[in-house]
Amino acid sequence: VRSARLRYDAVVIGAGVAGLTAATRLAEGGASVCVVATGVGSTHLAPATIDVLGYDPERVETTGAALADFVSARPLHPYALTGTQSIAAALEWFRGRVEAHSPSGYRYLGGLERNFLLPSAIGVARPSALVPETMAAGELREHSSLCFVGLPVLRDFHVRLCAANVARLGVEARGIELDIDVGGRPEANAVGLAKRFDDPGFRASFAAELAPLVHEQRIGLPAVLGLRDAHGAWADLEQRLERRVFEVPTLPPSAPGIRMFNALRASLRAAGGRLVMGSRVVDAKRSGGRVVALRAEASGHEVIYEPSWVVLATGGFGSGGIAMDSHWKAREAVFDLPLRYGPEAGRPRFDPTYLAKQPLARAGVAVDASLRPPGYENLLVAGAALGGAEPWREGCGEGISLASGYRAAELLLKSEDMAAAA
Ligand SMILES: Cc1cc2nc3c(=O)[nH]c(=O)nc-3n(C[C@H](O)[C@H](O)[C@H](O)COP(=O)(O)OP(=O)(O)OC[C@H]3O[C@@H](n4cnc5c(N)ncnc54)[C@H](O)[C@@H]3O)c2cc1C
């Protein structure tokens, strides 16, 4: 086993939205930063809209106005700890980084003023604060008619179901399918199709076939409109079809999520940060209240990191940041940090109704307003690893990861030893 020792001002564990945001902000502030991650996070699965607050418990229209009451009723919610100002600042920062580090013109629209209401793959209205411009014309409060176009090679995007559900919301909607050839293969995933849509020749013949089939004012396509130049692909289709075109998030993998990951990774690199994938942090050494070393395992070798600060952004149950063992004990996987809202003895762990209020939904690491777990001086936690939120019910998963990643970096950049190092 080879081993190496590396020193950084900060090591960020995890390469989801929370980790990449924290690391990029830190690097921009002058810190030497390394992100260590087992693999990609939820970016490659989720729709890539930044949902800040969708439900409280009714659907939220004006996120900025709703947040104040929301956090005052939930003093342990991650948003109560990050503060609402950090949320606004994080959104602005994110928009700027995506615009600066995506291929020509790709950008996000929105903010805290008014949630977008966009259709999910099954035509359910989803409230989101910030959305890729390529999705924005799906706004369901607009009354112009919609045509959803399915591509049979892309399984599990059921346009007729999607259109029927949207029509129930009072918007004229229809679903049609257009067979496209993907080299004779019976099916393709979103990434394979997105690469096809990067090709202007493919787009030209696609638009020529589709145009005579559509009479509605807006066209919804699965979110596969390009990876290398998604803005160019989307704008080209709008021009060729002479209609507003929008992407509808589909099942994983997520092309918009990959674009978001690519933009954040490019921002990190431009700021001088380092990203190490394929490396799992398995152990940490503590001295008093300080983490003095992290041990990471990659194929065939181990690396010891000796950071001044650590940001834990390992995600929740889905990414292994929080794990449940066969004795039903939930634990934070790297440091065994105390959890908030973990399973309680004698109380049920799951509600058998999938979409019900799940007892473990809020489980996660307990931190104070400096995002530090009790007893730790140089460890901060960000993202879905934090306890206190119910992201699926509140519609706030990406918002929490972005805001807490951003906040963690701001707190660190203000700390005396980081300021001295930078
Ligand atoms: C299919 C799907 C759909 C979703 N839809 C929505 C939605 O519509 N709206 C919404 O707001 N949210 C949604 N979410 C939730 C949202 O995507 C997540 O809450 C958010 O992206 C979490 O980001 P994160 O950075 O905190 O963690 P993650 O993205 O989970 O990243 C965790 C990172 O930590 C790494 N890691 C874990 N353990 C270790 C270790 N020991 N060592 C090194 N690295 C480690 C992982 O490899 C990964 O890089 C969805 C999630 C999924 C999976």
Side-chain angles (χ1 to χ4, degrees):
V1 176
R2 289 189 293 121
S3 93
R5 302 179 89 80
L6 297 170
R7 295 219 165 97
Y8 289 95
D9 293 332
V11 166
V12 176
I13 314 174
V17 170
L20 290 173
T21 298
T24 306
R25 247 334 264 129
L26 282 166
E28 288 172 352
S32 63
V33 185
C34 183
V35 178
V36 182
T38 316
V40 293
S42 306
T43 44
H44 288 48
L45 307 172
T49 54
I50 305 295
D51 304 354
V52 172
L53 183 61
Y55 302 92
D56 177 25
E58 298 307 319
R59 198 167 72 211
V60 169
E61 293 280 320
T62 317
T63 319
L67 272 170
D69 286 347
F70 182 82
V71 298
S72 67
R74 295 168 187 78
L76 297 178
H77 193 279
Y79 283 155
L81 305 177
T82 61
T84 49
Q85 279 183 347
S86 283
I87 304 172
L91 293 186
E92 265 321 292
W93 176 88
F94 174 84
R95 280 181 60 153
R97 295 307 170 277
V98 171
E99 261 181 79
H101 295 283
S102 298
S104 66
Y106 190 75
R107 61 181 184 146
Y108 274 66
L109 303 180
L112 291 180
E113 293 76 39
R114 192 176 189 225
N115 270 333
F116 281 91
L117 209 53
L118 302 183
S120 72
I122 55 165
V124 173
R126 293 179 53 247
S128 299
L130 215 57
V131 305
E133 184 180 21
T134 55
M135 293 184 191
E139 172 59 58
L140 292 171
R141 293 190 204 85
E142 282 182 32
H143 290 293
S144 53
S145 53
L146 294 171
C147 182
F148 291 95
V149 180
L151 311 173
V153 286
L154 181 71
R155 308 281 180 194
D156 297 321
F157 179 45
H158 304 288
V159 273
R160 290 195 179 84
L161 172 67
C162 178
N165 281 336
V166 166
R168 274 194 205 104
L169 304 171
V171 185
E172 187 188 327
R174 184 169 68 107
I176 63 169
E177 289 195 326
L178 181 62
D179 242 328
I180 56 170
D181 178 34
V182 286
R185 286 199 301 275
E187 59 182 278
N189 73 9
V191 173
L193 285 171
K195 288 179 182 162
R196 299 235 154 203
F197 275 94
D198 273 328
D199 171 8
F202 175 82
R203 290 199 301 264
S205 56
F206 176 80
E209 274 187 62
L210 180 58
L213 306 179
V214 179
H215 54 78
E216 288 80 0
Q217 287 144 307
R218 294 182 279 164
I219 298 179
L221 289 163
V224 298
L225 303 186
L227 276 179
R228 206 181 53 239
D229 180 15
H231 179 269
W234 164 76
D236 182 37
L237 284 175
E238 284 214 324
Q239 202 183 11
R240 288 178 187 280
L241 292 162
E242 296 178 343
R243 280 172 179 79
R244 294 169 71 201
V245 168
F246 62 94
E247 293 187 296
V248 182
T250 53
L251 287 186
S254 163
I258 294 171
R259 295 173 205 148
M260 176 166 78
F261 174 85
N262 289 344
L264 288 174
R265 181 179 57 186
S267 308
L268 174 68
R269 287 184 174 151
R274 189 171 168 228
L275 173 62
V276 178
M277 300 291 265
S279 189
R280 176 184 294 276
V281 177
V282 289
D283 208 354
K285 190 168 156 207
R286 243 180 111 162
S287 168
R290 294 187 69 79
V291 177
V292 291
L294 299 171
R295 186 165 68 85
E297 285 179 357
S299 48
H301 67 286
E302 75 174 21
V303 179
I304 307 295
Y305 292 91
E306 295 176 331
S308 304
W309 292 90
V310 178
V311 178
L312 182 78
T314 43
F317 285 108
S319 294
I322 313 289
M324 174 107 72
D325 67 19
S326 55
H327 301 285
W328 299 93
K329 182 162 167 32
R331 58 184 295 273
E332 184 284 311
V334 178
F335 300 91
D336 202 10
L337 299 170
L339 295 191
R340 194 169 266 160
Y341 305 114
E344 289 172 38
R347 304 266 321 266
R349 272 93 172 176
F350 300 103
D351 187 300
T353 310
Y354 184 69
L355 291 174
K357 199 171 167 68
Q358 291 292 344
L360 281 179
R362 287 188 297 165
V365 178
V367 295
D368 61 19
S370 68
L371 299 181
R372 281 183 274 207
Y376 282 86
E377 290 165 21
N378 66 338
L379 171 65
L380 279 72
V381 185
L386 290 168
E390 290 184 84
W392 297 100
R393 292 175 70 83
E394 295 163 356
C396 63
E398 300 294 13
I400 288 174
S401 293
L402 178 59
S404 59
Y406 185 85
R407 177 71 180 153
E410 296 294 299
L411 286 166
L412 284 189
L413 290 171
K414 279 189 210 137
S415 72
E416 277 173 25
D417 54 337
M418 186 69 89

